[in-house]
Structures are given as C-alpha cells and as structure tokens.
Amino acid sequence: MTALPQLKPPAISDNTAGELVVSWEQYHRLIEHLALQLHQAAADFDQIVALSRGGLRVGDLLSRLFDRPLVVMAASSYSGDGDRIQGQLKLGHQLAHTCDQLGPRLLLVDDLVDSGTTLVEASAWLNTEVRPSQLLTGVLWLKGGSSFQPDFWAMHLPENPWIVQPFERWELLHPGELEPMS
C-alpha cells in the first residue's frame, strides 16, 4: 500500500475588522503553522530571505527550524504615528548574509502582505539581481485587499484589520521610559 502525500494544513481565517491584537504566544504559533505548511508541502529552499523589519522574526525562527541560512533584505514603507501610515516603499539594494553564494532556491518571508507592493517589488528585485531558479513566498497574514498572493500564509484576513503585533509596544516607548531590572 502506498502512503498518501500529506496535505499542508490550511490557512486559518479570521474575520476581524478594525484591529487584530496578537499575543506573543499567538505570534509564535502562527510562525509554527507556517513552518508546518512548508514542511508538509515539502517546500525546498537553500536560504530564507527575510524582509526587515517585519519579516526578521519570522525569518529567524524559520531559519532555526529548517536549519537554513538567513538572508536579510531591507524594506520600509510604514511611517507616522505608530508606523501606521503606508507610504512609498524603499528597498535596500544589497542583501546581508554570510553565504558563499545565494540560491538557487529561495524562500522570501515577511510578517504580512497588506497591499502586496512590498512582496511584488522584493520578488522582482530578487528575480532580476539574484536570478533564483525558484522563489517561494510566505507570510503570517494575508490581507483580503492584497494584490499579491504568496505561496504560503498562516492566516487569511479578508476584512483587512490593522494587526497589532506583540513587539509594537516598543515603537511607542522612548529609552528613558524603560524600567531598570532589579
């Protein structure tokens, strides 16, 4: 009897509108859910390219789980009060890594895909500059208004809520407001 191939677990769907507040436990479980999808789909990649800042934690944990080198690509598009205003996308023109060479199979990760612009532009840059034979994409959250659909996502958000991630509290603090350890 031949074994049936394992199917990847489906993305979770959440119909939250307004704000979706995410705890550290929920955040880490979503990364694990994404990792399980990649594993069960037998996704094969040589390096993980994490878009900074949002994709850094995702990329770091996936790099550890899959024992693959982490590559960092700088990207910035949010600014303003609490970094809630999406503006002009700025992509870095170099990748930070310690690999002898990149590819040929890459996994590009970010925390979320909102409009889709960042993943479209980052994918285009990688395809032009690095020329991988395979470029997979993965995110924790896929918003319903996105023009880009990644290959893997942990949670679908059809109502496009603002996601309050657990590390965002530091964006509102000044170092002088921190309490020393006792």
Side-chain angles (χ1 to χ4, degrees):
M1 176 154 58
T2 59
L4 294 174
Q6 289 184 328
L7 299 176
K8 70 179 184 176
I12 301 160
S13 185
D14 187 311
N15 292 318
T16 299
E19 284 191 346
L20 175 63
V21 179
V22 180
S23 70
W24 278 113
E25 181 180 352
Q26 292 165 327
Y27 181 79
H28 289 128
R29 289 291 293 138
L30 285 169
I31 295 173
E32 290 172 2
H33 189 73
L34 180 62
L36 190 58
Q37 287 180 339
L38 291 161
H39 173 72
Q40 290 185 351
D44 200 14
F45 43 88
D46 301 301
Q47 292 97 16
I48 296 168
V49 180
L51 286 163
S52 75
R53 291 186 311 189
L56 282 177
R57 289 172 183 87
V58 178
D60 176 57
L61 292 178
L62 292 176
S63 170
R64 294 170 191 274
L65 283 166
F66 288 97
D67 193 25
R68 294 291 186 271
L70 181 63
V71 177
V72 177
M73 181 179 206
S76 176
S77 64
Y78 285 90
S79 62
D81 187 27
D83 282 341
R84 289 189 173 211
I85 300 169
Q86 188 173 22
Q88 182 71 26
L89 173 66
K90 295 177 189 172
L91 279 181
H93 297 289
Q94 296 179 339
L95 300 174
H97 61 86
T98 58
C99 307
D100 292 333
Q101 66 181 38
L102 291 180
R105 298 163 307 188
L106 301 177
L107 172 64
L108 175 63
V109 297
D110 204 355
D111 54 351
L112 61 97
V113 60
D114 194 347
S115 68
T117 302
T118 302
L119 281 173
V120 166
E121 294 296 324
S123 295
W125 188 90
L126 286 168
N127 282 320
T128 299
E129 299 297 323
V130 179
R131 294 186 177 100
S133 62
Q134 171 187 284
L135 179 60
L136 298 174
T137 54
V139 298
L140 299 183
W141 296 283
L142 167 61
K143 290 191 176 185
S146 174
S147 63
F148 181 90
Q149 184 170 319
D151 298 299
F152 299 90
W153 61 92
M155 181 179 281
H156 181 237
L157 300 169
E159 299 299 320
N160 298 307
W162 180 263
I163 303 164
V164 181
Q165 298 187 50
F167 47 81
E168 286 187 36
R169 73 180 205 93
W170 287 285
E171 293 172 1
L172 304 174
L173 285 176
H174 183 273
E177 298 172 307
L178 300 173
E179 296 290 327
M181 293 177 65
S182 54

